[in-house]
């Protein structure tokens, strides 16, 4: 069973995403907003894919507020964690946001909120997992 790390600061969204990922995807789901814990889980290879909210209101790293883009940069910049697929999850869905966020973060994909196509979200997680296994 693949493990998904969900980094989401909205409790309602976190509950919905976790339920969808568990029930429809059959994934094990871990949840954290603690950047140190996120990095530790990734470095220990305890997760297979990360769903990462772009706009985090409470996450800090080394005393500074960080968002999902910065966390993705940290993960993709570390050889120990760079191969773990990251899907950004964000309400920022204006024209050009997807491309800009992916370019800034190095993430592997983008899911726009609100997520209404739950099966599509599960399929996107499966797709990046399959691509990572082929690499």
């Amino acid at each position: 069973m693949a493990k998904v790390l969900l980094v989401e600061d909205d409790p309602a969204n976190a509950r919905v995403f976790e339920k969808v990922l568990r029930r429809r995807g059959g994934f094990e789901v871990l949840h954290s907003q603690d950047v140190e814990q996120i990095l530790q889980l990734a470095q220990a290879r305890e997760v297979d894919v990360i769903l990462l909210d772009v706009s985090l209101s409470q996450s800090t790293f080394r005393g500074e507020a960080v968002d999902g883009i910065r966390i993705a940069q940290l993960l993709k910049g570390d050889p120990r964690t760079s191969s773990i697929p990251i899907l950004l999850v964000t309400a920022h869905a204006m024209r050009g946001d997807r491309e800009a966020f992916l370019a800034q973060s190095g993430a592997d994909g983008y899911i726009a909120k609100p997520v209404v196509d739950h099966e599509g979200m599960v399929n996107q997680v499966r797709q990046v997992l399959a691509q990572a296994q082929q690499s």
Side-chain angles (χ1 to χ4, degrees):
M1 178 184 319
K3 286 186 187 176
V4 176
L5 175 57
L6 178 60
V7 182
E8 169 64 58
D9 63 352
D10 181 282
N13 281 340
R15 280 191 301 276
V16 169
F17 294 162
E18 184 170 350
K19 185 182 288 186
V20 168
L21 291 165
R22 284 184 194 274
R23 291 189 181 167
R24 291 193 183 201
F27 299 111
E28 182 177 338
V29 180
L30 306 173
H31 183 249
S32 181
Q33 295 177 66
D34 180 299
V35 180
E36 291 290 342
Q37 183 180 34
I38 293 163
L39 296 175
Q40 288 171 358
L41 288 167
Q43 289 166 355
R45 304 299 287 182
E46 293 186 32
V47 296
D48 300 299
V49 63
I50 300 170
L51 265 64
L52 182 56
D53 186 10
V54 168
S55 302
L56 297 169
S57 60
Q58 301 169 4
S59 294
T60 61
F61 182 64
R62 297 185 178 154
E64 293 184 26
V66 293
D67 61 7
I69 299 295
R70 182 66 186 125
I71 295 170
Q73 291 169 341
L74 290 168
L75 291 163
K76 290 300 186 179
D78 183 339
R80 297 171 293 177
T81 59
S82 63
S83 65
I84 298 173
I86 298 173
L87 292 171
L88 299 176
V89 184
T90 182
H92 298 283
M94 300 292 290
R95 180 185 300 250
D97 283 346
R98 178 184 193 282
E99 293 78 12
F101 286 144
L102 291 175
Q104 288 174 349
S105 67
D108 303 280
Y110 175 98
I111 298 171
K113 287 192 233 175
V115 176
V116 291
D117 180 5
H118 294 160
E119 196 62 35
M121 179 178 80
V122 168
N123 288 338
Q124 196 166 352
V125 171
R126 287 184 178 136
Q127 182 179 16
V128 297
L129 281 167
Q131 289 170 345
Q133 290 172 350
Q134 293 172 359
S135 300

